[in-house]
């Protein structure tokens, strides 16, 4: 079963693919709007601290587990612990992969559909400030539009994963990531050269600490997980195709650097534009779909920039969705002995079916509520707010207390000998963060997600 496992063709290929997984809708859709809602600069500083103190240590742990075992998440935990409980923690990641992709592809489908709208010049028909939001609501209210682009996006994801690790995911990332960087830089320059751009920069870089409370700290930490693709074995799976000669800490650092850089550049591109035309930075999840089209129509060259923006968004979503599908595929190939192509077709189909109620949550199923949430929001909540932090918590506990640092460090040293010999303090920090900070802080995020913490905070305020 193990003889012909795939692997990355090069270190750069791995870094670009893993950065591709991390950089996605989370950076370009979610980060700007949560930063906008939580006060801009001060929130960004808290977010950066969360990334460094929790995100990086957990990312190193995930990649290391994958590289050491060369297995899918279930096989990896089983191999290191020989325990059914820990294997089921890997299983939780597989379930997370199914769930996240099923709703992620719905939003990605909107991005794809918006490329077509941008090409048609639809935004230029808007006459009133509310037209853009109404237009968006009409589109997502249309079953065929919503389902059609969702299925199309799933199909493109499946084709890339079908082609394999090197020929599909690695090659796709090597082509798409440079395009993504290039487009984003163009959009940032466009934003910065608009009149009034400095107000957007002020919003991003001038901290207003009065806006930061326990709630926004927890949101920042939760987002650190989502944006780095942590907590469900995506990075573990990518790490499992990695060579032992490649340094895990260095790779993790590069992935974190790229992910953060892109989030910040996306923030600059979006807020300079939003402020330049005097729109509300706290518009919420609709920020890029409602607000940006009205920004584009007021901006010189807006037609071209609107197309570039939605192409960029679709590419970012695609390099993440392939990692989600790959997690699920790797389990069925490694553990169930399925043939890869069959796994891709069957699983993409299952996820497409699972995603239908999410896609219909904006039209025919709009009134169908589970715990007060529509189906889409419910799946998003369970996966992003419960499964990911829980996965992250268990992964840090696993490395720190079950697998044990001694064994983990022997494996971590491979490929990172220079770092171990020259800067041993880095490793000490990793241990401290993983053993204490990560579990405690993630536990708080989890409580917050379940709403318990909110009640406690309200009791004291
Ligand atoms: N990191 C991706 C983003 O920021 O859009 C989302 C994601 C991908 C989360 C893969 C989890 C995952 F396993």
């Amino acid at each position: 079963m193990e003889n012909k496992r795939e692997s990355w063709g090069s270190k750069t290929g791995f870094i670009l693919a893993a950065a591709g997984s991390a950089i996605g809708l989370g950076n370009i859709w979610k980060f700007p709007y949560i930063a906008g809602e939580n006060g801009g600069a001060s929130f960004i500083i808290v977010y950066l601290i969360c990334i460094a103190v929790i995100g990086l240590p957990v990312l190193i742990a995930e990649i290391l587990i994958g590289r050491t075992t060369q297995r899918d998440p279930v096989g990896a935990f089983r191999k290191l612990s020989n325990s059914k409980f820990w294997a089921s923690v890997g299983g939780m990641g597989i379930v997370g992969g199914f769930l996240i992709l099923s709703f992620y592809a719905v939003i990605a489908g909107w991005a794809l559909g918006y490329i077509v709208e941008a090409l048609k010049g639809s935004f230029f028909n808007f006459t009133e400030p509310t037209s853009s939001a109404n237009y968006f609501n009409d589109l997502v209210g249309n079953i065929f539009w919503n389902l059609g682009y969702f299925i199309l996006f799933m199909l493109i994801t499946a084709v890339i994963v079908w082609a394999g690790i090197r020929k599909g995911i690695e090659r796709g990332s090597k082509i798409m990531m440079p395009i993504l960087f290039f487009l984003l830089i163009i959009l940032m320059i466009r934003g910065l050269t608009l009149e009034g751009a400095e107000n957007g920069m002020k919003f991003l870089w001038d901290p207003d600490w009065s806006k930061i409370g326990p709630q926004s700290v927890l949101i920042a930490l939760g987002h650190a997980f989502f944006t780095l693709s942590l907590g469900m074995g995506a990075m573990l799976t990518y790490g499992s195709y990695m060579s032992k000669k490649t340094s895990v800490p260095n790779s993790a650092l590069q992935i974190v650097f790229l992910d953060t850089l892109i989030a910040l550049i996306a923030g600059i591109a979006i807020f300079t534009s939003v402020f330049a035309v005097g729109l509300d930075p706290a518009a919420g999840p609709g920020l890029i779909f409602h607000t940006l089209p009205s920004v584009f129509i007021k901006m010189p060259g807006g037609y071209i920039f609107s197309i570039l923006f939605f192409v960029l968004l679709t590419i970012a979503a695609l390099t993440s969705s392939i990692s989600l599908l790959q997690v699920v595929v790797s389990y069925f190939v490694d553990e169930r002995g399925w043939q890869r192509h069959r796994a891709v077709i069957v699983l993409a189909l299952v996820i497409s079916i699972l995603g239908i109620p999410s896609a219909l949550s904006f039209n025919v199923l709009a009134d169908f509520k589970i715990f007060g949430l529509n189906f889409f929001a419910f799946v998003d909540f369970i996966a992003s707010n419960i499964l990911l932090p829980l996965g992250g918590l268990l992964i840090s506990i696993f490395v720190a207390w079950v697998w044990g640092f001694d064994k983990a460090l022997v494996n971590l040293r491979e490929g990172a000998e220079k770092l171990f010999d020259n800067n041993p303090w880095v490793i000490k920090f990793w241990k401290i963060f993983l053993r204490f900070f990560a579990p405690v802080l993630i536990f708080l995020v989890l409580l917050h997600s379940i709403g318990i913490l909110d009640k406690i905070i309200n009791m004291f305020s």
Side-chain angles (χ1 to χ4, degrees):
M1 193 167 93
E2 260 176 300
N3 47 4
K4 259 197 2 228
R5 202 162 190 281
E6 295 181 279
S7 64
W8 302 109
S10 67
K11 183 177 171 228
T12 321
F14 164 71
I15 302 279
L16 286 179
S21 169
I23 298 165
L25 295 171
N27 302 58
I28 299 164
W29 165 68
K30 204 166 185 186
F31 174 73
Y33 92 70
I34 55 175
E37 282 180 336
N38 290 283
S42 38
F43 176 82
I44 293 175
I45 294 172
V46 175
Y47 163 79
L48 292 177
I49 296 173
C50 293
I51 289 278
V53 174
I54 312 288
L56 184 61
V58 176
L59 179 59
I60 293 177
E62 262 205 42
I63 299 178
L64 180 66
I65 295 176
R67 193 190 67 166
T68 305
T69 56
Q70 310 270 304
R71 286 291 177 91
D72 69 290
V74 173
F77 279 105
R78 186 183 301 124
K79 197 167 173 181
L80 292 178
S81 69
N82 224 342
S83 119
K84 278 211 174 113
F85 170 77
W86 287 103
S88 68
V89 170
M92 209 173 75
I94 313 296
V95 173
F98 270 105
L99 294 181
I100 296 184
L101 187 50
S102 78
F103 75 83
Y104 197 82
V106 173
I107 309 174
W110 297 348
L112 196 58
Y114 261 64
I115 298 180
V116 177
E117 296 306 316
L119 281 168
K120 288 199 305 204
S122 307
F123 310 140
F124 291 86
N125 300 329
F126 297 165
T127 46
E128 294 162 39
T130 49
S131 308
S132 167
N134 293 341
Y135 194 74
F136 172 75
N137 291 334
D138 284 348
L139 286 179
V140 298
N142 180 332
I143 304 180
F144 298 104
W145 190 84
N146 223 341
L147 268 184
Y149 282 112
F150 161 65
I151 304 278
L152 182 61
F153 183 83
M154 277 304 298
L155 193 71
I156 303 174
T157 303
V159 167
I160 300 179
V161 178
W162 193 86
I165 290 289
R166 279 193 200 188
K167 290 201 182 128
I169 298 181
E170 184 166 348
R171 195 201 283 162
S173 306
K174 275 186 168 163
I175 299 171
M176 289 190 282
M177 292 309 284
I179 299 178
L180 186 147
F181 282 111
F182 180 68
L183 293 182
L184 203 53
I185 300 283
I186 296 182
L187 287 165
M188 179 182 76
I189 295 173
R190 171 67 284 193
L192 284 172
T193 48
L194 288 170
E195 216 173 299
E198 62 284 356
N199 295 328
M201 291 303 274
K202 234 196 230 148
F203 178 75
L204 276 171
W205 307 120
D206 246 357
D208 174 0
W209 293 106
S210 67
K211 295 226 171 108
I212 287 292
Q215 175 92 356
S216 32
V217 174
L218 296 176
I219 293 178
L221 190 50
H223 185 62
F225 268 91
F226 188 79
T227 192
L228 291 176
S229 306
L230 292 179
M232 52 145 289
M235 289 302 185
L236 187 159
T237 305
Y238 272 16
S240 76
Y241 302 106
M242 189 178 175
S243 143
K244 302 229 164 161
K245 287 191 208 114
T246 307
S247 160
V248 174
N250 272 345
S251 308
L253 196 63
Q254 289 177 48
I255 296 164
V256 165
F257 174 76
L258 289 173
D259 184 73
T260 309
L261 186 71
I262 294 291
L264 295 178
I265 297 181
I268 296 176
I270 291 170
F271 286 118
T272 47
S273 310
V274 168
F275 275 88
V277 293
L279 287 166
D280 178 15
L287 184 68
I288 59 177
F289 292 104
H290 297 187
T291 312
L292 275 191
S294 7
V295 173
F296 290 129
I297 55 179
K298 292 191 192 137
M299 168 193 278
Y303 175 72
I304 296 292
F305 289 110
S306 65
I307 300 169
L308 295 184
F309 180 79
F310 289 106
V311 169
L312 162 85
L313 190 63
T314 306
I315 289 181
L318 197 55
T319 53
S320 299
S321 64
I322 53 181
S323 73
L324 287 159
L325 184 56
Q326 179 59 37
V327 172
V328 184
V329 166
S330 76
Y331 166 73
F332 282 88
V333 172
D334 286 356
E335 298 302 308
R336 305 271 163 154
W338 285 23
Q339 195 251 346
R340 177 180 183 89
H341 288 165
R342 173 174 158 224
V344 173
I345 295 168
V346 172
L347 297 169
L349 214 64
V350 171
I351 294 170
S352 302
I353 294 170
L354 196 67
I356 291 175
S358 283
L360 298 185
S361 296
F362 301 89
N363 33 68
V364 284
L365 291 182
D367 294 328
F368 173 72
K369 296 270 155 69
I370 312 171
F371 298 117
L373 299 171
N374 69 29
F375 190 86
F376 172 96
F378 179 72
V379 180
D380 180 8
F381 176 78
I382 295 288
S384 316
N385 298 26
I386 309 266
L387 290 183
L388 291 190
L390 186 61
L393 175 69
L394 291 167
I395 286 166
S396 13
I397 293 177
F398 180 80
V399 172
W401 310 98
V402 181
W403 186 20
F405 277 119
D406 291 345
K407 287 191 201 138
L409 287 180
V410 172
N411 289 288
L412 189 62
R413 191 184 159 84
E414 277 184 85
E417 291 82 3
K418 270 200 203 130
L419 178 76
F420 270 68
D421 296 341
N422 300 340
N423 295 304
W425 57 271
V426 175
I427 307 301
K428 277 207 187 101
F429 271 109
W430 181 65
K431 280 170 75 170
I432 295 172
F433 285 147
L434 208 60
R435 183 172 278 163
F436 301 110
F437 283 84
V440 172
L441 288 174
I442 300 169
F443 186 65
L444 291 178
V445 176
L446 211 55
L447 285 183
H448 162 72
S449 299
I450 306 169
I452 298 173
L453 199 59
D454 284 354
K455 292 199 187 98
I456 300 174
I457 292 169
N458 287 339
M459 257 165 54
F460 289 101
S461 59

